[in-house]
Amino acid sequence: MIGNDLSRAADLLRAGEVVAIPTETVYGLAANALDPLAVSKIYAAKERPRFNPLIVHLSLKSNIEDYVSEFPAKAVQLAEAFWPGPMSLLLNKRDVLPEIVTAGLDSVVVRKPAHPIAQQLLEMLDFPLAAPSANPFKQISPTKAEHVERSMGDRIAYILEGGPSVVGLESTILDCRTDNIKALRLGGLSLEQIEKLIGPIELELSKHSNPQAPGQMDQHYSPAKGLYVVDDMEEAIANCKARYSLLLWDDSKAYPNAIEKYYLSRSKDLVEAASNLFEYLHRADEDMSEIIFAERVPNTGLGRAINDRLIRASH
Ligand code: TXA
Ligand code: MG
């Protein structure tokens, strides 16, 4: 059930239940990160393999060093610049975090979300929240409470309403265990912004199924329909016998036979395109088309993360 009762959400979380919460990136499926039984309910609801580690969400006032054993200088610098916000840091964990949160790894990914409702809720609790994105395993991430309701409403006690997620892409994950920072997942904070602060960083975006970063599995964020990322849209539809919808960047062509056309940003703004991406994938998945063709966006700023998600959503 969707609602905006913060104290109900807090009570459920204190009682060891799972609650879907809004964040500025995507909605999360949250539970008490210090309670292994509560965390196990996240995996059950998500039908996610046990080995996938979760992100730990902290309130603004919380001290990250209660949860990580080292907080290197560059990580501090990044946290000061970009928290609260769409950035998650991989650091060495402390024992207070149960194994089930990190899937047995010695490291943990932590984040201070910017969404005011997420922050209000975290302030009300005396524990951090472990939360993956609130979608069933491998499906499209939710950027609205209704997305969560539709795909997993029958499996969770409460969905806290927070409006559409303004960033619309999962957080950028940075391995900050050494001063040689590596990006493990592209996301809502662009590489340009990061590199402007700390200089060039390495990319370690694995292409193959990697139990350490399942967000990086080849296929992920997938609609149920076939989605194809194409370089030449006109050629693709000329050869297509099925009913198709289009996910578009370029708005200069008409495509009169498309079932639906979803323009990521008519003003060619990659930030707007990012915030629309998952909503449009959800809509395209539910419209009358049989398949979806998608166009790449310019590969700069958030465009890199958008293209990454499109490729991973494609068949
Ligand atoms: O924006 C976000 O990050 C959203 C919101 C809800 O905060 N959360 C999210 O969680 O996207 P999830 O579980 O869908 O993705 C977390 C990613 C996964 O790819 C996971 O493998 C990686 O973080 N991860 C978590 N802990 C890790 C660890 N200790 N080592 C390596 N990768 C880790
Ligand atoms: Mg996810």
Side-chain angles (χ1 to χ4, degrees):
M1 155 191 188
I2 302 178
N4 47 25
D5 187 346
L6 267 167
S7 26
R8 176 159 176 208
D11 285 343
L12 284 163
L13 290 164
R14 288 186 198 105
E17 295 303 322
V18 169
V19 173
I21 63 163
T23 88
E24 74 281 18
T25 58
V26 299
Y27 276 69
L29 203 56
N32 179 351
L34 307 183
D35 176 354
L37 188 61
V39 174
S40 72
K41 294 179 188 169
I42 296 176
Y43 291 91
K46 215 174 145 73
E47 294 173 9
R48 168 180 258 206
R50 285 264 158 142
F51 54 74
N52 292 0
L54 306 174
I55 296 181
V56 172
H57 297 72
L58 303 173
S59 76
L60 293 184
K61 285 187 196 140
S62 66
N63 181 5
I64 181 175
E65 285 174 278
D66 292 344
Y67 307 101
V68 304
S69 56
E70 285 153 282
F71 196 23
K74 278 205 182 156
V76 174
Q77 207 186 343
L78 286 162
E80 281 172 358
F82 299 120
W83 275 348
M87 173 190 75
S88 296
L89 304 181
L90 176 69
L91 294 161
N92 288 317
K93 83 173 188 87
R94 278 193 195 280
D95 289 341
V96 53
L97 293 172
E99 299 264 306
I100 190 170
V101 172
T102 59
L105 299 171
D106 296 331
S107 55
V108 62
V109 171
V110 291
R111 174 164 108 81
K112 291 191 176 179
H115 196 297
I117 291 176
Q119 274 304 335
Q120 271 177 44
L121 180 65
L122 285 163
E123 293 271 305
M124 292 165 76
L125 303 169
D126 56 9
F127 47 82
L129 292 173
S133 52
N135 51 286
F137 187 54
K138 285 198 166 192
Q139 295 182 22
I140 309 167
S141 295
T143 52
K144 288 183 166 177
E146 299 86 73
H147 298 158
V148 184
E149 172 82 40
R150 243 180 282 146
S151 63
M152 41 198 346
D154 55 345
R155 290 183 237 164
I156 45 180
Y158 198 57
I159 301 166
L160 191 57
E161 175 65 79
S165 297
V166 292
V167 175
L169 290 173
E170 295 85 350
S171 58
T172 301
I173 303 181
L174 301 174
D175 182 347
C176 292
R177 289 173 295 178
T178 69
D179 271 346
N180 176 25
I181 310 285
K182 297 179 195 129
L184 303 181
R185 177 174 74 181
L186 301 176
L189 180 68
S190 72
L191 289 178
E192 287 89 335
Q193 281 173 282
I194 297 161
E195 292 187 330
K196 200 170 153 197
L197 182 77
I198 58 166
I201 62 169
E202 264 178 61
L203 291 193
E204 205 176 85
L205 319 168
S206 52
K207 292 213 165 50
H208 301 288
S209 172
N210 170 2
Q212 281 216 16
Q216 303 306 324
M217 280 184 184
D218 275 352
Q219 203 186 346
H220 205 82
Y221 316 101
S222 298
K225 290 175 189 170
L227 179 140
Y228 301 87
V229 180
V230 299
D231 292 319
D232 185 337
M233 189 61 86
E234 282 172 319
E235 183 189 309
I237 63 181
N239 297 318
C240 179
K241 308 221 158 34
R243 292 193 306 273
Y244 55 86
S245 283
L246 306 178
L247 195 63
L248 297 164
W249 174 256
D250 179 6
D251 62 358
S252 68
K253 300 186 190 98
Y255 304 121
N257 297 323
I259 299 288
E260 299 284 351
K261 289 170 277 190
Y262 304 96
Y263 292 100
L264 284 171
S265 168
R266 287 198 188 262
S267 56
K268 301 286 187 286
D269 173 358
L270 287 165
V271 173
E272 182 186 23
S275 73
N276 285 330
L277 177 69
F278 288 143
E279 162 70 3
Y280 288 175
L281 284 175
H282 279 282
R283 280 198 217 164
D285 209 16
E286 275 142 37
D287 71 19
M288 297 300 290
S289 66
E290 294 164 298
I291 63 173
I292 308 161
F293 291 121
E295 214 164 51
R296 281 191 185 78
V297 304
N299 214 35
T300 58
L302 294 188
R304 293 176 69 127
I306 295 173
N307 289 332
D308 170 89
R309 298 303 188 277
L310 284 175
I311 295 299
R312 291 178 202 282
S314 70
H315 285 63

